[in-house]
Amino acid sequence: MATETPHTNPAVDGSELIRFDRVTKRFGENTVLDDLDFSVSSGKHVTLIGPSGSGKTTILRLLMTLIKPDQGTIKVDGDYLTHEDRGGKLVEAGEKHTREVRKKIGMVFQQFNLFPNMRVLRNITEAPVHVLGLSKDEAEERARELLDLVGLGDKCDAYPTQLSGGQQQRVAIARALAMRPQVMLLDEVTSALDPELVAGVLDVLRDIAHTTDITMLCVTHEMSFARDISDEVFMFDSGRVIEAGPPEKIFSEPEHERTREFLSAVL
Ligand SMILES: Nc1ncnc2c1ncn2[C@@H]1O[C@H](COP(=O)(O)OP(=O)(O)O)[C@@H](O)[C@H]1O
Ligand SMILES: [Mg+2]
């Protein structure tokens, strides 16, 4: 564990860090998100659960601006993500505006997506150097601290293919953190791992959840992990939040029949 706290976010005061306002997203005839309102407060750990195809990944992809909403707005830390306020009128944002707002967001994918031709250290320093303008030395110092944090301080010079899936995913977590995002998006980050490697990755994420003030928005089928780290759990069904609350409530006394069915299928 690094001695210096790797994340000190300016505003961990319970203000809204993410806000979806009446967001609709369609793929052809398929309305995946339907007039969705949804928010995550700064510093909180929110978990999205729900059946496959209910729109969980779509939410994260909208936040990464990999796709755009058909209707509605998304705000991150008070700024519109894909819109700009020009003299009181809301217009589609330019690339530069969107890129600035998106810097506040880091994402870890199911399939690690490391750069295969780069050693571990460079996988982590690449974006801080090229996007944030850190010097190579500063970026490497930060990368080494983060590799210690994820328990891979001795793997700086390895190539991704020389690592296990669990180790690769821990590098991907360090890479996301190196950008000092205010919020980290985690989309089923252990689903592609061999079962014996899942616990190591979840332990790292638990550690980050408990020792930093970074906001987390997780999609996971690991219900005991969700119970451990979540401040709030959102149950999704067909693009709507049908039930939300603290994990004790959602997992022990769900109100909706759909939530009960879903939990009995996955628990
Ligand atoms: N790029 C896409 N093109 C067409 N349909 C998509 C695309 N991405 C997602 N979908 C559809 O949107 C729905 C929700 O998908 P997704 O958000 O991935 O669900 P989840 O992550 O909850 O399993 C599914 O019906 C899926 O087939
Ligand atoms: Mg998904």
Side-chain angles (χ1 to χ4, degrees), residues 9-261:
N9 293 332
V12 185
D13 54 6
S15 61
E16 276 181 347
L17 188 56
I18 290 173
R19 178 177 185 84
F20 279 54
D21 220 341
R22 307 196 63 173
V23 170
T24 295
K25 178 66 196 172
R26 303 183 193 93
F27 293 107
E29 299 282 280
N30 183 6
T31 301
V32 175
L33 302 181
D34 190 7
D35 219 16
L36 177 70
D37 287 331
F38 164 77
S39 70
V40 178
S41 297
S42 184
K44 297 293 184 196
H45 307 140
V46 171
T47 304
L48 308 181
I49 62 170
S52 179
S54 60
K56 304 177 303 294
T57 294
T58 299
I59 289 178
L60 303 190
R61 298 188 71 226
L62 282 165
L63 282 164
M64 289 305 285
T65 65
L66 296 167
I67 50 175
K68 286 190 174 172
D70 294 302
Q71 278 156 38
T73 57
I74 299 169
K75 276 185 167 181
V76 177
D77 199 21
D79 293 319
Y80 288 110
L81 182 63
T82 56
H83 294 80
E84 267 178 289
D85 192 342
R86 289 231 185 94
K89 205 165 169 241
L90 216 52
V91 297
E92 193 162 324
E95 249 314 298
K96 184 161 175 280
H97 171 90
T98 297
R99 203 164 47 232
E100 280 307 308
V101 180
R102 199 179 43 211
K103 273 186 194 167
K104 298 176 180 186
I105 307 171
M107 181 153 178
V108 182
F109 300 86
Q110 190 175 323
Q111 302 286 351
F112 342 124
N113 299 355
L114 296 178
F115 308 121
N117 57 328
M118 293 181 194
R119 293 179 198 272
V120 163
L121 195 71
R122 178 122 179 265
N123 258 279
I124 302 173
T125 59
E126 190 69 4
V129 168
H130 292 287
V131 180
L132 301 183
L134 260 62
S135 73
K136 186 159 171 277
D137 284 352
E138 285 171 315
E140 287 190 355
E141 189 186 335
R142 186 182 289 188
R144 286 179 203 283
E145 272 177 23
L146 288 167
L147 283 169
D148 283 340
L149 179 81
V150 300
L152 294 173
D154 57 341
K155 298 292 183 193
C156 292
D157 295 323
Y159 282 98
T161 51
Q162 295 171 317
L163 303 179
S164 72
Q167 290 172 327
Q168 290 186 57
Q169 193 57 298
R170 286 187 275 147
V171 173
I173 292 165
R175 182 175 64 173
L177 290 173
M179 294 296 282
R180 304 244 165 118
Q182 292 189 30
V183 56
M184 183 139 81
L185 312 180
L186 301 154
D187 194 3
E188 298 194 37
V189 298
T190 57
S191 299
L193 298 177
D194 291 335
E196 74 273 20
L197 303 176
V198 169
V201 171
L202 294 182
D203 282 347
V204 163
L205 291 173
R206 271 195 196 90
D207 192 29
I208 293 166
H210 292 141
T211 62
T212 76
D213 54 18
I214 195 163
T215 306
M216 287 180 167
L217 180 55
C218 305
V219 175
T220 185
H221 292 295
E222 297 287 339
M223 295 299 153
S224 72
F225 170 73
R227 201 185 267 259
D228 283 356
I229 65 135
S230 302
D231 296 299
E232 205 173 10
V233 178
F234 289 3
M235 170 69 195
F236 261 80
D237 193 33
S238 307
R240 289 172 177 277
V241 179
I242 60 166
E243 185 162 3
E248 314 79 75
K249 168 84 174 57
I250 300 290
F251 293 123
S252 307
E253 304 162 38
E255 275 173 22
H256 279 256
E257 185 53 31
R258 286 292 291 139
T259 312
R260 283 194 286 272
E261 279 170 17

